[in-house]
Amino acid sequence: MTRRQAERRYVLLTALRWLPAGITFGMIVLLPLERGLGLAEIGVLMSLQGFVVLGLELPTGGLADAIGRRPLLLAAAALAVASTWVFLMSETFAVFAIALVLQGVFRALDSGPLEAWFVDAALADDPHAELDAPLGRAAAALGTTIALGAALGGALVAWHPVPGQSALVLPYIVSTAVYAIFGVLVGILVREPHRERVSLVFAVRETPLAMRGGLRLLRGSGVLRGLVLVEVFWSMAMIGFESLAPVRLTEQLGSESAAAAVFGPASAVAWGLFAIGSSSVALVRRRLGPAGAAMVMRILNGAVVVLMGIAVGPVGLLIGYGFAYLTHGAAGPLHNALLHRQSGADTRAMVLSINSMIAGGAYSLGLLVLMPLAQTTSTLIAVVVAGAFSMLGAIGYLPALREQRRASG
């Protein structure tokens, strides 16, 4: 498979994988709120998902390096269908918790194998291929698809064709169907070098070896440790613009359904800006270098979240929300390209899992702090704290910046 062929498949599957997330964007908070849960309870639920991911990231990353990317992607698609349906059926905290645990397992299985598969194929075709541009194109496709999905989700909420049912139900039904289609296409399009039939004994034996290889790489690379550290801080900004923004909008508009109807189109615009940011990666890298560009984008992202928090009224909030996604879109591909240059084919999924594990763990802990803070003080204060704290993460790029300067000098 050529690099271009692999990229086309990667972009298509990335877009389809994230379409359901766009359709239900923001509703993961609004549906439990509508069904009687409080913000503190929702914070616990969302952190529960994060802790499941935290516990499974390393084993699933090692498993993907040991037995291949395709089996994990197929399992993730099946769990995506199951977890979305259970979440839709949930009425109590306990059932929501089951749905979020299933979703945590899905996220852990899904974290990294598709991107690792593409990078393996691209570097096998051209060992010197630049990675940030194709990763940026995939991220742009992701943003565009989520934008379209958010517009569709908002339209489905506004349409509300089934009287007596919540307007938030139909988007989850559509998302479940899309996840099923994604699983079918993974089975058709993702192809790997032939492996001997993998037994349970082989998987149990090889997974810890792959995990140890990734951890040795982390211990031996200051650059990699710095990149992973960035995620601790950036996760706080993500809570601000992803989880707290719809809550803030609900407060301003007066109901969850009203917020969902506005948040759909607003999210469509925001993810369109995310796609623009992702598409600009090559231009930004040429001017500042990969590490310098990543550092600047992370600082700008945190600053915009602070401004989003202090903005007066829903218009100011949504403008800040859009610019948060613009900088977020540019930062992600730059960060991941730096990660891939610190790993090899035998540790690639593991390195992505380590990065995701730290991000998920920090996100979960942050939810346990920021959601209660929003409930006891205000969402304004919680959003500002999230953005200000996230800007400190720019220091994590200093080792990569020094390495970049040594290479260019």
Side-chain angles (χ1 to χ4, degrees):
M1 187 183 301
T2 67
R3 178 171 60 88
R4 293 295 184 189
Q5 289 172 328
E7 182 181 335
R8 285 194 292 269
R9 295 185 182 200
Y10 173 51
V11 168
L12 172 63
L13 290 172
T14 297
L16 195 59
R17 153 66 180 89
W18 288 99
L19 177 59
I23 293 171
T24 60
F25 196 76
M27 298 179 199
I28 192 171
V29 174
L30 298 179
L31 186 64
L33 271 177
E34 185 180 70
R35 294 183 177 176
L37 274 64
L39 280 178
E41 289 179 301
I42 294 171
V44 171
L45 285 172
M46 295 175 70
S47 68
L48 177 63
Q49 172 191 273
F51 286 128
V52 171
V53 175
L54 181 66
L56 294 179
E57 278 284 10
L58 295 187
T60 55
L63 188 62
D65 284 329
I67 70 172
R69 325 306 191 194
R70 187 171 181 269
L72 271 71
L73 288 169
L74 291 171
L79 278 172
V81 171
S83 64
T84 305
W85 189 255
V86 174
F87 189 86
L88 173 61
M89 295 293 104
S90 300
E91 296 283 350
T92 65
F93 179 89
V95 182
F96 273 117
I98 293 171
L100 270 295
V101 167
L102 290 173
Q103 195 168 96
V105 180
F106 148 56
R107 292 287 176 87
L109 290 168
D110 176 71
S111 174
L114 183 59
E115 185 173 319
W117 169 79
F118 161 68
V119 174
D120 286 345
L123 294 180
D125 184 52
D126 179 5
H128 303 292
E130 290 291 345
L131 296 174
D132 47 15
L135 291 177
R137 285 189 285 272
L142 179 155
T144 301
T145 304
I146 292 184
L148 294 173
L152 174 59
L156 292 173
V157 169
W159 181 29
H160 192 191
V162 185
Q165 288 284 347
S166 166
L168 305 180
V169 168
L170 185 56
Y172 276 95
I173 294 174
V174 174
S175 293
T176 303
V178 175
Y179 276 132
I181 296 170
F182 168 73
V184 171
L185 287 182
V186 164
I188 296 170
L189 297 179
V190 175
R191 290 289 179 262
E192 297 183 287
H194 176 72
R195 296 172 181 260
E196 297 297 328
R197 183 176 294 275
V198 176
S199 67
L200 179 61
V201 173
F202 176 86
V204 170
R205 185 182 71 243
E206 294 297 317
T207 298
L209 295 177
M211 290 170 61
R212 284 197 291 271
L215 292 173
R216 278 197 303 271
L217 185 61
L218 182 66
R219 285 195 300 269
S221 172
V223 173
L224 184 57
R225 289 196 300 273
L227 295 175
V228 169
L229 176 66
V230 172
E231 296 291 351
V232 173
F233 297 88
W234 171 73
S235 294
M236 299 304 103
M238 192 169 180
I239 293 172
F241 63 74
E242 182 180 84
S243 299
L244 290 171
V247 178
R248 179 81 169 143
L249 191 61
T250 298
E251 293 172 352
Q252 293 172 337
L253 296 180
S255 75
E256 289 82 5
S257 293
V262 172
F263 204 65
S267 296
V269 173
W271 281 102
L273 291 170
F274 176 97
I276 293 172
S278 300
S279 300
S280 69
V281 163
L283 175 62
V284 178
R285 172 176 52 81
R286 281 197 297 270
R287 291 182 176 273
L288 300 172
M295 178 182 287
V296 169
M297 287 301 113
R298 290 300 190 203
I299 292 172
L300 288 176
N301 182 251
V304 169
V305 173
V306 171
L307 294 175
M308 187 181 78
I310 63 178
V312 177
V315 173
L317 171 69
L318 294 175
I319 290 173
Y321 177 72
F323 279 101
Y325 272 88
L326 176 71
T327 51
H328 176 41
L334 291 164
H335 182 85
N336 280 21
L338 291 169
L339 283 175
H340 288 303
R341 289 303 180 187
Q342 300 298 315
S343 64
D346 57 341
T347 58
R348 196 171 314 285
M350 186 65 188
V351 166
L352 288 172
S353 288
I354 291 171
N355 186 75
S356 182
M357 179 191 73
I358 297 300
Y363 190 94
S364 297
L365 292 173
L367 283 168
L368 295 178
V369 174
L370 292 174
M371 284 298 200
L373 179 65
Q375 184 167 308
T376 56
T377 58
S378 69
T379 52
L380 185 155
I381 291 175
V383 171
V384 169
V385 168
F389 182 77
S390 73
M391 286 189 283
L392 300 175
I395 61 174
Y397 287 116
L398 290 176
L401 187 62
R402 286 193 290 267
E403 183 179 75
Q404 173 185 304
R405 288 172 175 169
R406 283 196 300 268
S408 62

